[in-house]
Amino acid sequence: MAKDKASRRPRAETPKGFRDYFGADVTERKVMLDAVAEVYHRYGFDPLETSAVETVEALGKFLPDVDRPNEGVFGWQDEDGDWLALRYDLTAPLARVAAQFRNDLPSPYRRYAMGPVWRNEKPGPGRFRQFYQCDADTVGSASVAADAEICAMLSDALEVVGIPRGDYIVRVNNRKVLNGVMEVAGVLDPSDPSKFEAERGIVLRAIDKIDRLGETGVRALLGAGRKDDSGDFTRGAGLSDEQAEVVMGFMAAKRATGAETATRLRELVGGSTLGREGVQELETIAELLDAQGYGPDRIVVDPSVVRGLGYYTGPVFEAELTFEILDEKGRKRQFGSVAGGGRYDDLVKRFTGQSVPATGVSIGVDRLLAALRAKGRAGQEAQGPVVVTVMDRDRMGDYMAMVGELRRAGLRAELYLGNPKNFGNQLKYADARKSPVAVIQGSDEAARDVVVLKDLVLGAKIAAGASLEEWKSRPAQVEVPRAALAQGVKDMLS
């Protein structure tokens, strides 16, 4: 049995939860990320590449069980007995770098990072175990000017990749305001943060489900609890109706202007010192952004932003795309969120024992690419290379010289390296490569020192029924002097 298994051919299939990315996908992602990186670079952020592997200890919340650390990460034990894992995100490696090189890095330290991350979670439709992230963070600044800068930079990045103003909005909230609201609601005691910790956790999870459960479902979770359609019961936070009303008021506090929203939030946090501090931070962020020309058409204060409030310690932000698309059932819906972030002042503290302020944002690369395709800014058929065909096997050196000349002229080109016996197969190959032009030179053309340039794009259009006028104005095949090869190809492509 073991022998049969050993001799069996391996199955050619992608592991469950993973996918392959081919030419167009890789190219589109690179173009998008290069544009984002240019914005980050303009803001003074430096690139950082960290290892795909971190110690499980550095990742923090994932610890090994008796066999391996299999809760959320792909981990293994090396020969020295240390537990290692593929990075779960790009933030934990940043915290490790900031602590490890704190004496060498400038403070504040601005960095951006782009690359794959891995999560050992159950895959599903559109949910993979490996995906790309694009992060930008500032470590070492407690000023909300750093948060305002991140929001402005995110806005610029969305526009530069092709999301026009009016099709997105960056929403800003603050965890301190929510803490003030929970203090007023009686589930936060500033003198004893551990008190009511379980209730606060339920409140955070409840308000994070507002989009899915609606107001009625969230109110039930804030109170005694909620029974779902299957009959399963989820215990609630046990808040009274008056307490729950304060929390619900927080999520519905957005008004027509940022100033009116801040006024309403100040009413909700009452005498909470932390809550008033959070409101002041939101007002300052709005003022700083307004001074740079980032008005409510791009960035707004919005208390309904609740994702990540359990993780962040201050301002939180989310970029939402507001244009409509059709879902898999043909129904119209807004595209939704493509980026999120906020202030996390306790992450580096795990390594140093000292609080280090930090703020940052993460763009969902696949989500943003899908948005660009929906807007027609990506997903277009990519043009392939110019293909130099082979008519005479003994003249490979001449054909290679042509390819080299085209490349030196800045043109993407390749030599046909298959069996040249059937010329039709060479043109089929050029079509498969989505080549715009095929270069042809047989012995007759070589004797006359010319080459034939075949316009494959126009040729396909003619085959599909182009007009006679179009054919006459630009024939699908032209003959040019050999010395004018590169210019002839450029003219045909223009």
Side-chain angles (χ1 to χ4, degrees), residues 268-412:
L268 286 169
V269 299
S272 168
T273 301
L274 187 61
R276 290 199 303 271
E277 182 181 322
V279 174
Q280 180 60 55
E281 289 181 356
L282 287 176
E283 289 178 321
T284 301
I285 289 173
E287 291 169 2
L288 292 172
L289 290 168
D290 185 62
Q292 300 175 72
Y294 295 86
D297 60 329
R298 304 170 77 178
I299 306 173
V300 297
V301 173
D302 188 348
S304 68
V305 178
V306 295
R307 292 177 184 171
L309 282 177
Y311 171 74
Y312 295 114
T313 58
V316 294
F317 16 89
E318 183 175 70
E320 180 182 338
L321 304 189
T322 55
F323 61 85
E324 288 186 333
I325 60 170
L326 297 178
D327 64 15
E328 62 277 2
K329 295 184 179 179
R331 298 170 300 191
K332 287 185 177 181
R333 65 174 180 85
Q334 285 194 341
F335 191 92
S337 174
V338 294
R343 179 163 287 276
Y344 52 98
D345 287 347
D346 295 331
L347 200 62
V348 182
K349 187 177 181 180
R350 293 180 49 248
F351 296 93
T352 64
Q354 299 173 333
S355 183
V356 178
T359 185
V361 68
S362 180
I363 293 176
V365 174
D366 291 332
R367 288 276 297 166
L368 186 52
L369 265 178
L372 293 175
R373 292 185 182 118
K375 294 295 291 182
R377 300 300 178 92
Q380 306 299 316
E381 195 169 86
Q383 190 177 78
V386 173
V387 172
V388 176
T389 60
V390 176
M391 301 294 287
D392 303 309
R393 291 175 185 265
D394 58 350
R395 295 182 53 245
M396 288 295 286
D398 293 337
Y399 298 129
M400 290 291 285
M402 294 182 196
V403 173
E405 180 180 329
L406 292 172
R407 290 169 179 166
R408 286 191 297 274
L411 296 165
R412 189 181 181 209

Side-chain angles (χ1 to χ4, degrees), residues 7 19 24 57 91 104 121 144 199 222 226 240 246 257 260 279 292 315 356 394 397 408 413 453 474:
S7 62
R19 59 172 293 195
E57 183 182 30
T91 309
D104 303 316
E121 298 171 339
V144 291
E199 289 82 356
L222 294 177
R226 175 181 177 272
S240 67
V246 176
T257 68
E260 292 174 2
V279 174
Q292 300 175 72
V356 178
D394 58 350
R408 286 191 297 274
L453 304 181
R474 188 179 175 204

Side-chain angles (χ1 to χ4, degrees), residues 127-158:
R127 184 183 182 90
F128 296 97
R129 289 169 164 170
Q130 176 183 319
F131 53 93
Y132 263 72
Q133 284 190 339
C134 171
D135 288 15
D137 299 79
T138 298
V139 179
S141 175
S143 171
V144 291
D147 302 283
E149 181 178 66
I150 291 285
C151 291
M153 189 169 68
L154 176 58
S155 174
D156 287 353
L158 291 175

